[in-house]
């Protein structure tokens, strides 16, 4: 049981971290901070660059903390809050399923 939970925690936490570095650095085909800030601006977030950095840092910090098993409740709460904002501001109008840009994946991560 402990090994299974460790595997889940590490895989999930590193998945969150990978999502973060897409936003912050453009790794793994991500938009980088400039592209993320542009998207944030189109969504009405102000100031967009700061919002992009905060979202990326929360995702990355929470992912690393979860993977390491550190501060799990606050890390999970921080990440869930970022995913809630993403669901409401981006994905909810597109329905549930991810192939339509919906909130399925974001909800599953949260």
């Amino acid at each position: 049981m402990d090994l299974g939970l460790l595997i889940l925690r590490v895989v999930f936490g590193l998945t969150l971290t990978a999502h973060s570095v897409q936003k912050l650095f453009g790794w793994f085909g991500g938009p980088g901070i400039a592209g993320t800030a542009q998207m944030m601006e189109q969504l009405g977030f102000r100031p967009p660059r700061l919002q992009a950095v905060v979202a990326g840092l929360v995702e990355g910090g929470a992912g690393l903390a979860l993977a390491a098993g550190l501060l799990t409740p606050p890390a999970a709460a921080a990440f869930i809050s970022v995913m809630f904002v993403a669901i409401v501001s981006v994905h909810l109008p597109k329905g549930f399923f991810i192939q339509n840009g919906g909130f399925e994946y974001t909800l599953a991560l949260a």
Side-chain angles (χ1 to χ4, degrees), residues 19-27 29-39 49 52-53:
H19 194 71
S20 166
V21 298
Q22 284 184 307
K23 278 187 175 68
L24 294 173
F25 307 116
W27 299 354
I33 198 66
T36 303
Q38 181 180 12
M39 179 197 66
R49 186 172 179 84
V53 169

Side-chain angles (χ1 to χ4, degrees), residues 7-29:
I7 292 168
L8 282 173
R9 195 178 73 231
V10 169
V11 168
F12 183 75
L14 293 180
T15 298
L16 301 182
T17 304
H19 194 71
S20 166
V21 298
Q22 284 184 307
K23 278 187 175 68
L24 294 173
F25 307 116
W27 299 354
F28 310 117

Side-chain angles (χ1 to χ4, degrees), residues 4-91:
L5 291 175
L6 172 66
I7 292 168
L8 282 173
R9 195 178 73 231
V10 169
V11 168
F12 183 75
L14 293 180
T15 298
L16 301 182
T17 304
H19 194 71
S20 166
V21 298
Q22 284 184 307
K23 278 187 175 68
L24 294 173
F25 307 116
W27 299 354
F28 310 117
I33 198 66
T36 303
Q38 181 180 12
M39 179 197 66
M40 294 282 197
E41 186 171 34
Q42 291 171 350
L43 292 170
F45 289 92
R46 300 286 185 264
R49 186 172 179 84
L50 176 63
Q51 297 295 329
V53 169
V54 169
L57 289 176
V58 169
E59 287 177 359
L64 291 174
L66 291 172
L70 300 173
L71 301 170
T72 303
F79 184 75
I80 288 170
S81 68
V82 170
M83 290 297 97
F84 177 75
V85 170
I87 287 170
V88 171
S89 63
V90 178
H91 302 286

Side-chain angles (χ1 to χ4, degrees), residues 87-108:
I87 287 170
V88 171
S89 63
V90 178
H91 302 286
L92 193 61
K94 299 174 184 175
F96 180 74
F97 293 105
I98 190 70
Q99 72 264 25
N100 300 322
F103 62 92
E104 172 186 18
Y105 176 69
T106 312
L107 179 64

